[in-house]
Amino acid sequence: MNQIALSAILSNLLDGALWTIGLSLTAFVLGGIAGLALLFARIARNPVPRRLAQGYIEVFQGTPLLMQLFIIFFGGSMIGFEISPWAAAALGLTLFTSAYLGEIWRGCVESVPKGQWEASASLAMTHFEQMRYVILPQTLRIAIAPTVGFSVQVVKGTAVASIIGFVELSKTGSMLANATFQPFLVFGLVALGYFAICYPLSAYARILERKIHGSRAH
Amino acid sequence: MSYHFDFAAVFDYDSALLAGTAHTLLLTAVGAVAGLGIGILGAGCRAWKIRPFDRFFAVYVELIRNTPFLIQLFFVYFGLPSLGVRLDEWQAAILAVIINLGAYTTEIIRAGIEATPRGQIEAAQSLAMTRAQIFRHVVLPPALAKVWPAICSQVVIVMLGTSVCSQIAAEELTFAANFIQSRNFRAFETYLIVTAIYFALAVIVRQMLIVSGRYAFGRRTR
């Protein structure tokens, strides 16, 4: 039997990890932009966008990411949208990320004291000006820790993209495990790869949280 | 684009949908109960610094929370046989769900325990309660009540996550979806309906957990 050298396994996994990072960054950046739009809709005075955004968030938080990807990838091609695994994964993860970030940031906006809204309203600021100059700068400070914390969920979410055939770290691992007959070693290394990406993010989120909340247990 | 939707083609397989739903719920229920048990144990060990278990749980929590569930599942199902532990797809799925949820609940409950006012523990000590008694009667109930909403959310997240168990051929709801669409060639309708079922399950399970929490912990004014 042909033994595949450890160095070959490692270099393949490293390639896969780069795709995982690429997909995570894409989803995070695009999801962040969409999440911001969602946030504005979610706290609008008009109840129509508010309701729509709420429904969107509930649907994406209440259904499996895998199903979302299946609908986009298999379902999409069925009704006439041919889409590559990469595009389907990026789109699915972006929608998923935007729903969570929109909701996280709404929580942060709402944690800004009501007096700030009232004070800025009494200065005759428009809704947009209130957001731009008073609320968002304060929100940003609160939002950094949970946002970094959520980025870990995005990285872990990209593993599901392997199921629709996007070759990232998990898919590379599955293929290597089949080729080498060493699933214990390969999946151990894959897990280690994810840990190497996610742990620094988790640790950083924790440090940020401690900085904001002082030593108070949260 | 001329595509004729045919949702009825999915409901021809209603028994597969039903069985898949039941299996998903069962997997979630077993995982939730056992995962909660691990969480209480782990949080207790960590909060009371019981060596060497506190270290063990700290490493366990970090390892699980920083790796994808799919890889944990593959590791259990494909990797463990190398160590002589051979599990069928259901044993592997259940084990993976328990391990995954256990790590999250450990962290969640620990946060609740750490918020216990020092004075309550001192008061209990002054009543000559043992450490186990204090944990069981003074610390744990309010801690659980406080973090119950977070636990409900986590159970729902894990339930939705079990859809990847289809990848090791555990016949849950997503597996049923794949089976049905391979028969009726109606991928879009099938996945849409199954997604709707998941959504309904998420709403129902969350409500049930919230209500049972209210029942178990009573209405607290805090």
Side-chain angles (χ1 to χ4, degrees):
Chain A
M1 193 179 72
N2 224 342
Q3 276 287 334
I4 296 177
L6 186 65
S7 63
I9 295 178
L10 284 176
S11 79
N12 275 307
L13 286 180
L14 204 64
D15 275 352
L18 290 179
W19 281 106
T20 289
I21 294 171
L23 181 59
S24 305
L25 280 176
T26 307
F28 194 70
V29 171
L30 296 180
I33 295 168
L36 199 62
L38 214 54
L39 166 69
F40 274 96
R42 193 75 180 78
I43 57 174
R45 293 214 191 96
N46 189 335
V48 177
R50 220 165 50 209
R51 278 297 148 105
L52 283 175
Q54 188 186 357
Y56 174 93
I57 288 168
E58 276 173 14
V59 166
F60 278 94
Q61 291 193 343
T63 56
L65 177 61
L66 180 59
M67 277 296 135
Q68 296 161 19
L69 293 182
F70 275 175
I71 290 180
I72 294 170
F73 187 63
F74 295 117
S77 71
M78 214 60 189
I79 59 170
F81 294 104
E82 282 299 338
I83 189 166
S84 71
W86 152 253
L91 178 61
L93 278 159
T94 296
L95 298 176
F96 166 84
T97 305
S98 68
Y100 276 89
L101 284 181
E103 187 64 8
I104 290 171
W105 292 342
R106 182 187 67 95
C108 295
V109 166
E110 283 182 355
S111 71
V112 174
K114 212 164 170 49
Q116 299 284 331
W117 284 100
E118 290 163 356
S120 52
S122 75
L123 294 172
M125 284 177 147
T126 63
H127 185 69
F128 180 77
E129 283 171 339
Q130 285 179 304
M131 284 295 286
R132 167 70 186 78
Y133 296 106
V134 180
I135 306 301
L136 281 188
Q138 301 183 62
T139 304
L140 195 64
R141 213 179 73 90
I142 312 168
I144 290 176
T147 305
V148 173
F150 178 70
S151 67
V152 175
Q153 309 297 329
V154 178
V155 175
K156 291 191 293 178
T158 62
V160 176
S162 67
I163 297 175
I164 58 166
F166 179 62
V167 183
E168 35 65 84
L169 187 50
S170 297
K171 186 73 185 171
T172 310
S174 298
M175 295 191 297
L176 283 172
N178 288 336
T180 60
F181 300 108
Q182 287 181 296
F184 188 82
L185 172 72
V186 172
F187 286 123
L189 288 172
V190 170
L192 216 60
Y194 279 107
F195 188 81
I197 301 170
C198 293
Y199 184 71
L201 292 170
S202 304
Y204 185 50
R206 219 167 9 226
I207 292 169
L208 287 170
E209 196 161 320
R210 218 165 285 156
K211 221 182 248 173
I212 289 170
H213 292 293
S215 58
R216 188 163 63 90
H218 192 64
Chain B
M1 197 177 77
S2 60
Y3 184 82
H4 295 284
F5 289 97
D6 182 8
F7 286 97
V10 180
F11 289 109
D12 292 343
Y13 297 90
D14 52 354
S15 61
L17 288 177
L18 216 62
T21 305
H23 283 143
T24 289
L25 280 176
L26 191 68
L27 186 58
T28 308
V30 174
V33 171
L36 202 58
I38 291 180
I40 291 171
L41 195 71
C45 288
R46 291 212 62 191
W48 295 85
K49 298 198 168 45
I50 300 169
R51 280 175 211 287
F53 302 108
D54 59 336
R55 287 287 164 79
F56 167 79
F57 275 106
V59 173
Y60 159 69
V61 166
E62 290 303 331
L63 276 180
I64 297 300
R65 295 211 318 159
N66 289 299
T67 51
F69 176 64
L70 180 67
I71 294 304
Q72 295 159 13
L73 184 69
F74 281 177
F75 192 79
V76 169
Y77 188 62
F78 297 117
L80 285 189
S82 318
L83 298 184
V85 184
R86 199 167 286 278
L87 302 169
D88 69 25
E89 65 275 14
W90 278 112
Q91 292 165 335
I94 289 174
L95 184 62
V97 168
I98 292 172
I99 290 173
N100 186 273
L101 192 57
Y104 284 92
T105 47
T106 296
E107 194 63 6
I108 292 170
I109 297 172
R110 189 176 69 100
I113 288 176
E114 280 180 357
T116 308
R118 190 86 225 132
Q120 292 199 357
I121 297 171
E122 285 162 3
Q125 281 168 339
S126 75
L127 293 172
M129 288 170 94
T130 64
R131 280 192 353 151
Q133 282 175 329
I134 295 175
F135 184 70
R136 163 75 185 78
H137 298 288
V138 179
V139 175
L140 190 58
L144 271 182
K146 197 175 296 172
V147 298
W148 191 250
I151 290 175
C152 297
S153 300
Q154 196 59 44
V155 170
V156 170
I157 287 173
V158 166
M159 183 185 74
L160 298 175
T162 61
S163 71
V164 304
C165 294
S166 57
Q167 295 307 302
I168 60 166
E171 298 182 6
E172 40 68 77
L173 190 49
T174 303
F175 187 92
N178 287 333
F179 169 78
I180 293 169
Q181 70 93 21
S182 72
R183 289 293 190 86
N184 66 5
F185 304 108
R186 294 279 176 184
F188 191 79
E189 291 92 329
T190 307
Y191 289 134
L192 211 58
I193 286 173
V194 169
T195 303
I197 296 176
Y198 270 113
F199 186 65
L201 288 183
V203 172
I204 294 168
V205 167
R206 175 187 293 276
Q207 283 310 316
M208 273 171 49
L209 284 170
I210 290 172
V211 169
S212 60
R214 218 172 273 156
Y215 186 75
F217 307 117
R219 280 175 205 277
R220 283 172 188 275
T221 50
R222 265 208 305 161

